[in-house]
Amino acid sequence: MRATEGQQGQQREIQLELRTMAHAALVGFPNVGKSSLLRAISKARPAVAAYPFTTLNPHVGIVEYRDHTQVAVADIPGLIPGAHLNRGLGLSFLRHIERCRVLLYVLDMSSPEPWEQFQQLCFELDQYRPLFSQRPHAIVANKMDLPESRANLEALRERISQTVIPVSALTRGNTGELILHLREMYDSYPQAETLP
């Protein structure tokens, strides 16, 4: 039997960061209905409440199609103005969005000028990483069950050229169109394509 003399070992601290990976991200300000929307289109059950920052960590739901294709959708905690400066833990939330191929901008259509929400969200994403907001995306006009939302929808469409999908996460109204459009976006962008 033979043995060798042991040597001094190594010790180090390693910090690992897990970023949520999903095909699509629900991006929006607090209380626009992202968690309710995820509940409406998948079997995920994130907490829903009528106060800001109910969602503190991303939740991922799976949207299933008849051909057994599964698209993962992440409910990202609400961004606030200055998120790119890490206000409201903005940088950690933005990092989760980075891994998603498709962006679904969720707007509260009952707010006075919902198009300003979209412009602010694009600004925050582009300040974090240039052209980030230009990834394949659609605008989800949420809370269409509220009376003031109808007039705001027309005004939004006049100001924005992107695809707008009006839905009500509360009543699940028109979520079928959102699910179909999500699949079209998912199929249109090959998984091997480099993300901007």
Side-chain angles (χ1 to χ4, degrees):
M1 295 184 65
R2 206 165 34 170
T4 56
E5 208 171 304
Q7 296 181 354
Q8 186 68 31
Q10 293 182 350
Q11 182 177 349
R12 68 178 65 166
E13 284 186 25
I14 299 175
Q15 184 175 355
L16 301 176
E17 180 179 312
L18 176 65
R19 291 194 214 162
T20 300
M21 280 177 48
H23 300 108
L26 299 174
V27 181
F29 288 118
N31 282 85
V32 296
K34 298 181 302 298
S35 297
S36 298
L37 188 60
L38 187 65
R39 282 173 159 257
I41 64 174
S42 74
K43 293 181 181 175
R45 292 293 170 256
V48 174
Y51 55 85
F53 299 109
T54 308
T55 304
L56 296 175
N57 296 300
H59 294 275
V60 178
I62 303 298
V63 179
E64 298 186 29
Y65 295 89
R66 289 183 183 176
D67 64 355
H68 305 292
T69 298
Q70 296 182 331
V71 178
V73 179
D75 168 19
I76 306 295
L79 298 177
I80 61 171
H84 70 281
L85 300 173
N86 206 27
R87 290 191 186 134
L89 298 177
L91 291 182
S92 63
F93 298 164
L94 287 162
R95 282 191 201 108
H96 290 296
I97 302 170
E98 244 183 324
R99 299 296 296 269
C100 300
R101 305 194 67 74
V102 173
L103 306 179
L104 297 172
Y105 293 104
V106 184
L107 307 182
D108 177 358
M109 294 306 292
S110 67
S111 66
E113 296 179 329
W115 46 90
E116 289 189 358
Q117 294 176 36
F118 175 63
Q119 292 166 352
Q120 184 68 49
L121 290 168
C122 289
F123 174 79
E124 293 299 333
L125 267 59
D126 290 339
Q127 290 300 305
Y128 174 71
R129 184 173 168 185
L131 302 178
F132 193 4
S133 69
Q134 299 307 307
R135 284 197 183 168
H137 63 274
I139 297 169
V140 182
N142 194 22
K143 302 191 182 182
M144 291 305 297
D145 52 292
L146 299 176
E148 58 272 30
S149 299
R150 186 63 52 196
N152 283 341
L153 178 63
E154 298 310 315
L156 176 68
R157 284 184 164 148
E158 288 172 7
R159 289 172 170 81
I160 293 177
S161 61
Q162 289 87 347
T163 301
V164 176
I165 305 166
V167 302
S168 169
L170 181 66
T171 65
R172 298 181 184 233
N174 208 35
T175 53
E177 182 184 341
L178 172 60
I179 290 170
L180 289 175
H181 189 74
L182 174 62
R183 178 63 187 270
E184 288 173 13
M185 294 171 72
Y186 172 79
D187 288 343
S188 297
Y189 298 94
Q191 301 305 305
E193 185 180 308
T194 305
L195 296 173

